[in-house]
Amino acid sequence: MIRFYFHPTPNPAKVALFLEEAGLPHEVIPVDTSKGEQHDPSFRAINPNGKVPAIVDTEGPGGKEARVFDSTAILLYLAEKTGKFLGEVSDRPELLSWLFFISSGLGPFSGQAVHFQYAAPEGLDYAVNRYRREAERHYQVLNDHLQDRSYIVGETYTIADMSAWGWVDRASRVMKGAEDPLAAYPNVKRLFETVDARPAVAQARKVGKDHDFKRINDEETKRALFPSNYPRVDKVNP
């Protein structure tokens, strides 16, 4: 059984998609990051970094309980555990390269683009421009790679495509103000639409819908999501 710690944001969405694709038995455990539940000691014992997603595999290596945090680590762990969505053995170098391109580039720059366009105080034009342009650059790298390719790696659907889907699903926020946020990236748009049409995506989108996550962006939310912006209160919860 997989205990899946979830909030409806791009990185947990990737893991939700894998679990639905692979048909792995799992229990969804909501973590309301807007309320600061990611900073609770019980969750920090699972992910010391205080981020979602995270999983606990009750039947990990050697039959022992295992924790895994970071969406890319989770995708790799579950793909290796099940032997699914890894592509061919010969695809491994490319798979690792594109997974980490997404996890260290496209994802973080997209996240920062969203933050500075929607959450940061006005007047930070340099930061807004920097992160928006870098997000666009990463989209272009992926778009160029997908020219004449159906999937990111090899000839089949893999965890690299799932990882990209999680963030490209939020392109309208990354490309704030764009009428069609993927118009400039037709190959990325084609990949997204291919993945988004899969039956497992419809199931993944239902994850967490039965939980009332906080939607109000008040002071509590800001302190919970961006604790580094505030003075450190104690040594347990920075």
Side-chain angles (χ1 to χ4, degrees), residues 23-44:
L24 275 175
H26 60 280
E27 174 190 6
V28 176
I29 301 174
V31 178
D32 198 328
T33 59
S34 291
K35 293 181 179 179
E37 292 175 356
Q38 70 275 30
H39 305 305
D40 291 348
S42 59
F43 182 71
R44 286 293 184 99

Side-chain angles (χ1 to χ4, degrees), residues 6-21:
F6 173 87
H7 186 270
T9 42
N11 288 322
K14 308 172 186 180
V15 177
L17 178 54
F18 184 96
L19 291 169
E20 295 298 336
E21 291 280 16

Side-chain angles (χ1 to χ4, degrees), residues 98-142:
W98 286 103
L99 276 174
F100 286 96
F101 166 83
I102 296 164
S103 69
S104 66
L106 190 147
F109 280 106
S110 294
Q112 292 294 342
V114 170
H115 176 81
F116 281 100
Q117 291 179 108
Y118 291 92
E122 293 185 3
L124 300 176
D125 295 345
Y126 176 86
V128 171
N129 182 71
R130 161 71 176 168
Y131 288 111
R132 171 70 177 262
R133 299 305 174 222
E134 273 295 286
E136 292 171 348
R137 186 182 70 80
H138 281 81
Y139 267 73
Q140 189 62 56
V141 170
L142 183 58

Side-chain angles (χ1 to χ4, degrees), residues 46-195:
I46 298 164
N47 185 355
N49 195 35
K51 303 282 186 179
V52 287
I55 65 168
V56 172
D57 182 0
T58 60
E59 300 175 354
K64 297 180 180 180
E65 188 170 278
R67 71 174 184 183
V68 190
F69 56 87
D70 184 274
S71 60
T72 300
I74 295 169
L75 289 175
L76 278 167
Y77 174 82
L78 293 176
E80 291 175 348
K81 177 183 176 72
T82 61
K84 296 180 178 180
F85 306 111
L86 282 168
E88 301 296 329
V89 173
S90 59
D91 295 330
R92 184 69 171 204
E94 283 286 301
L95 180 70
L96 291 173
S97 296
W98 286 103
L99 276 174
F100 286 96
F101 166 83
I102 296 164
S103 69
S104 66
L106 190 147
F109 280 106
S110 294
Q112 292 294 342
V114 170
H115 176 81
F116 281 100
Q117 291 179 108
Y118 291 92
E122 293 185 3
L124 300 176
D125 295 345
Y126 176 86
V128 171
N129 182 71
R130 161 71 176 168
Y131 288 111
R132 171 70 177 262
R133 299 305 174 222
E134 273 295 286
E136 292 171 348
R137 186 182 70 80
H138 281 81
Y139 267 73
Q140 189 62 56
V141 170
L142 183 58
N143 190 74
D144 292 345
H145 172 70
L146 287 167
Q147 184 70 34
D148 301 323
R149 301 178 62 91
S150 297
Y151 297 102
I152 295 176
V153 175
E155 302 299 324
T156 59
Y157 174 58
T158 68
I159 53 176
D161 304 300
M162 296 182 200
S163 186
W165 170 84
W167 270 106
V168 177
D169 189 45
R170 302 300 179 92
S172 62
R173 288 184 62 78
V174 176
M175 312 298 178
K176 182 180 179 181
E179 184 175 344
D180 180 354
L182 295 178
Y185 315 102
N187 301 323
V188 174
K189 185 173 186 177
R190 171 175 45 79
L191 174 70
F192 174 77
E193 291 175 345
T194 297
V195 176

